[in-house]
Amino acid sequence: MTAADQTADEDKPWDEVTPEAARKLLVAAVEAFAERGYHATTTRDIAGRAGMSPAALYIHYKTKEELLHRISRIGHDRALEILSAAYEADGTPTERLAGAVRSFVRWHAGRYTTARVVQYELDALGEAHRAEIIELRRETDAVVRRLLEEGVAAGEFEVPDVPGTAVAVLSLCIDVARWFNTQGRRTPDEVGVFYADLVLRMVGAQKK
């Protein structure tokens, strides 16, 4: 497991992947894809990191692309889950948007190795798998749009372009995975708080 994933180990990432050999291969693939990129990574690289033979990989995953799809599906499901939980929480639109951004950014910072693969290797997926993940991204975008629309309707936000602002908010949060470093001066929680404040300023939220 990478240092990035260790920072958020309290909920034991990839526990949903069984058996243990399949989980170890998936963790190894995340590390390899994040370090070298999908196309530069071979199945031999992944198996070696997991301490297995290349043949062992094909017992659990038919292809390298299937392995990437599994990583991407779990990651996008988790992203949607985080935002949906914030949307459904109690509180005003301002409070729920701040909570959504804090949680979403914290995940992308605390799991930056995983998030880089989940968010930036979409084009390596096959057509059917890519379409599936794009649909999940649409659902994620829709949650943020609903939050913004509710904030506008309540008079809490000033957002003339809800779709464009939703894209901007998600892009801002996701990009944390690209630059976050555990050796930096802010923790994932602190980055989440900082970004929540930025987003509230972006949407013109009225502080009480």
Side-chain angles (χ1 to χ4, degrees), residues 64-83:
K64 185 175 71 166
E65 190 271 348
E66 182 180 302
L67 185 49
L68 175 62
H69 170 251
R70 181 80 167 120
I71 294 165
S72 189
R73 178 68 201 226
I74 292 173
H76 280 87
D77 280 342
R78 179 59 179 149
L80 180 57
E81 178 185 316
I82 289 169
L83 291 175

Side-chain angles (χ1 to χ4, degrees), residues 14 16-17 25-26 29-30 33 38 46 60-78 114 117-119 121-136:
W14 312 116
E16 61 269 68
V17 180
L25 286 164
L26 187 143
V30 168
F33 293 157
Y38 174 82
I46 296 168
H60 303 284
Y61 304 99
K62 294 178 183 179
T63 63
K64 185 175 71 166
E65 190 271 348
E66 182 180 302
L67 185 49
L68 175 62
H69 170 251
R70 181 80 167 120
I71 294 165
S72 189
R73 178 68 201 226
I74 292 173
H76 280 87
D77 280 342
R78 179 59 179 149
T114 295
V117 177
V118 169
Q119 299 292 0
E121 292 289 358
L122 178 64
D123 288 343
L125 292 170
E127 184 177 350
H129 286 160
R130 186 166 59 251
E132 176 187 317
I133 299 303
I134 287 173
E135 180 56 35
L136 283 172

